[in-house]
Amino acid sequence: MRVEHITVVVPAHDEEALLPRCLEGLRTAARAVSVPVTTVVVLDGCTDGSEDVVRREDVDVVVLGARNVGAARRAGFESVAPRPHEWFATTDADSRVPAHWLSSHLQHASRGAQLVAGTVAVTDWSGWPDHVRSRYGSAYRSGAAHGHVHGASLGFSADLYREVGGFAALPAHEDVDLVQRMIERGANVVWSIDSPVETSARVEARAPQGFATYLEGLQDR
């Protein structure tokens, strides 16, 4: 696949503290590729200073009141006009992509990938007891067939995205739902391990059944 433009969508609900770091990572990743990159931040039901943060940045902004991560991701991609040879990517506002995240996506796309599902890494476990980190490490597969689906690290062809109907307005697991429909469509998938995204292990959950809920389960197991 030839890629001539990239759009990255970031859903955010009350992420004033972490958004600057997220956007800094995306700026660095955008500078590492030779095609234009548009970042769209979807402010979904924000009551903090998230809007003040993004208005100071060179990003497109969508304001939503759905309090639904699937609806937020969908609104972000719907806000951009269709372009030929477009690559879509999405991450989370509490995450920071590595500098080579987008260049990795382009390399996979140039080899025929239509869907790139990446891994995540946690660097700060300060909010959790030691056994949670240990259990997480034991359970997390990081090989080339890892099979993980994280909204914090997904990329796909815009054509494929539209063919399968895009993100559904689900309050949780909207990423898994989309990937499953793409696989059922016969997408060429790369389970990428070359650009893990640093994500937050905060205790307070922003989305129901999200990463914090998973960690709570490990703590209580």
Side-chain angles (χ1 to χ4, degrees), residues 90-109:
T90 189
T91 188
D92 292 334
D94 67 339
S95 303
R96 181 187 175 100
V97 303
H100 62 290
W101 188 61
L102 292 177
S103 58
S104 167
H105 282 213
L106 291 186
Q107 288 172 4
H108 291 305

Side-chain angles (χ1 to χ4, degrees), residues 128-140 213-221:
W128 298 93
D130 290 344
H131 72 270
V132 173
R133 179 177 185 173
S134 176
R135 288 173 178 174
Y136 175 82
S138 297
Y140 195 84
T213 303
Y214 172 70
L215 295 179
E216 285 175 3
L218 293 181
Q219 178 176 243
D220 298 340
R221 192 175 69 196

Side-chain angles (χ1 to χ4, degrees), residues 60-155:
D60 292 350
V61 180
V62 175
V63 178
L64 199 66
R67 286 299 310 276
N68 179 298
V69 66
R73 292 195 207 274
R74 183 181 186 92
F77 289 116
E78 285 182 343
S79 72
V80 299
R83 301 181 182 92
H85 309 295
E86 174 97 0
W87 185 260
F88 281 168
T90 189
T91 188
D92 292 334
D94 67 339
S95 303
R96 181 187 175 100
V97 303
H100 62 290
W101 188 61
L102 292 177
S103 58
S104 167
H105 282 213
L106 291 186
Q107 288 172 4
H108 291 305
S110 71
R111 300 178 187 128
Q114 296 172 292
L115 167 63
V116 177
T119 56
V120 297
V122 177
T123 58
D124 182 5
W125 289 97
S126 57
W128 298 93
D130 290 344
H131 72 270
V132 173
R133 179 177 185 173
S134 176
R135 288 173 178 174
Y136 175 82
S138 297
Y140 195 84
R141 301 186 306 276
S142 57
H146 58 78
H148 297 296
V149 177
H150 300 288
S153 186
L154 276 181

